Amino acid sequence: MNTILTADLIGLDKIVNSDPVAITFFIGYMAMFASAVFFFVERSSVDGKWKTSLLVSGLITGIAAVHYYYMRDFYLETGTSPTAFRYVDWTLTVPLMCVEFYLLTKPFGAKGSTLFKLIIASLVMLVTGYIGETSGIDSNVMWGIFSTIGYLYIVYEVFAGDVAKLTKTSNSPELGRAMFLLKIFITLGWSIYPIGYMVLPGNLLSGAFEVSSIDLFYNLADAINKIGFGLVIYSVAIAETAKSRKAALAS
Ligand SMILES: *C/C=C(C)/C=C/C=C(C)/C=C/C1=C(C)CCCC1(C)C
């Protein structure tokens, strides 16, 4: 009873003193939760072949909401970064984002092997990133470089590899538009994460910001990327559904 009360007071105190990190954990939690509800409910307004994509968007934001619920409490009680929760979240949600790329290109011939390569690259990126964040000052630059190789491979696949080729041969302006936006997300949006990582003690940008602000970067990036990714897919799904319904009416 008493400990719960104390934790609550510490938390409230942080919010009252406008700790920006604590506030972004709260906003992140609510935003992820609301987005998950939105994507699940909106499944009913799109054609059958888009329903899985919206389900995956709902799962990505839903899984993140659950992790933010715990990360928020962890941060309020300890004042430190919930690194393990963070990486468990990413290990589930980043592969699901790879699934989104696969689902978008599947009608145009995407193969399981493309999905497999994307998932392996994302796991390399995250496992080495986790080791880097927990291994301390001496080796976090090295692990960060390994992690960046995994990241760059995903960027390569989407810009010039299988995903890019399928987008080109699909002759679908809608897919082209979605890929254009998703490319912006994985280059600009995803680059916020390594920038946050470089703020760690001993890393390339350490000292540029307060250490605790690594969560500020990650919370901001998660909201932009997870919700934004989902909204791009949602807008293609809505546009394609409207188009096929119109075509069905005309015939
Ligand atoms: C929803 C979560 C997403 C989209 C997480 C993405 C995470 C990254 C792109 C992380 C990248 C990293 C590097 C490229 C190097 C340093 C270590 C990481 C893991 C922060």
Side-chain angles (χ1 to χ4, degrees):
M1 173 74 204
N2 236 343
T3 47
I4 295 171
L5 203 63
T6 325
D8 272 353
L9 286 176
I10 294 170
L12 284 176
D13 182 54
K14 281 227 169 96
I15 300 295
V16 171
N17 287 307
S18 43
D19 173 346
V21 182
I23 290 174
T24 57
F25 273 117
F26 271 81
I27 297 176
Y29 169 53
M30 268 334 289
M32 295 295 177
F33 179 76
S35 307
V37 172
F38 176 80
F39 293 130
F40 285 136
V41 170
E42 283 299 308
R43 282 183 76 240
S44 61
S45 13
V46 299
D47 275 353
K49 60 177 178 180
W50 295 103
K51 288 191 196 295
T52 317
S53 299
L54 260 65
L55 173 70
V56 175
S57 297
L59 288 176
I60 291 170
T61 44
I63 290 170
V66 174
H67 285 87
Y68 268 81
Y69 178 82
Y70 289 106
M71 290 198 288
R72 187 193 62 173
D73 282 356
F74 183 96
Y75 178 79
L76 288 181
E77 285 192 34
T78 67
T80 61
S81 293
T83 309
F85 283 122
R86 179 79 76 188
Y87 276 83
V88 173
D89 173 340
W90 289 354
T91 308
L92 297 167
T93 53
V94 176
L96 283 173
M97 292 170 116
C98 300
V99 171
E100 298 275 34
F101 279 113
Y102 170 73
L103 288 174
L104 281 174
T105 46
K106 197 170 156 235
F108 309 103
K111 292 199 192 72
S113 60
T114 306
L115 175 62
F116 184 72
K117 285 189 278 185
L118 288 172
I119 289 180
I120 294 294
S122 65
L123 291 179
V124 167
M125 173 179 94
L126 295 172
V127 170
T128 53
Y130 181 73
I131 298 172
E133 279 203 37
T134 51
S135 67
I137 289 187
D138 293 332
S139 53
N140 68 21
V141 174
M142 180 187 79
W143 289 107
I145 292 170
F146 289 145
S147 175
T148 305
I149 296 171
Y151 170 51
L152 290 178
Y153 181 79
I154 300 175
V155 173
Y156 160 78
E157 272 298 333
V158 176
F159 275 78
D162 297 348
V163 176
K165 285 175 201 143
L166 290 168
T167 308
K168 212 167 163 196
T169 52
S170 75
N171 281 323
S172 157
E174 290 74 22
L175 180 65
R177 209 181 53 220
M179 278 303 167
F180 172 76
L181 292 171
L182 293 183
K183 278 183 197 164
I184 296 179
F185 277 104
I186 68 160
T187 48
L188 294 181
W190 287 27
S191 71
I192 303 170
Y193 299 98
I195 293 173
Y197 179 92
M198 285 191 278
V199 169
L200 283 176
N203 215 303
L204 308 176
L205 294 176
S206 70
F209 306 89
E210 255 185 81
V211 183
S212 70
S213 67
I214 188 172
D215 288 296
L216 216 50
F217 286 90
Y218 289 167
N219 291 354
L220 179 76
D222 274 355
I224 293 174
N225 291 301
K226 292 186 165 64
I227 300 171
F229 228 72
L231 286 175
V232 168
I233 287 156
Y234 169 73
S235 70
V236 191
I238 287 287
E240 285 287 275
T241 301
K243 210 171 78 180
S244 65
R245 285 183 188 166
K246 217 161 125 193
L249 275 181
S251 68

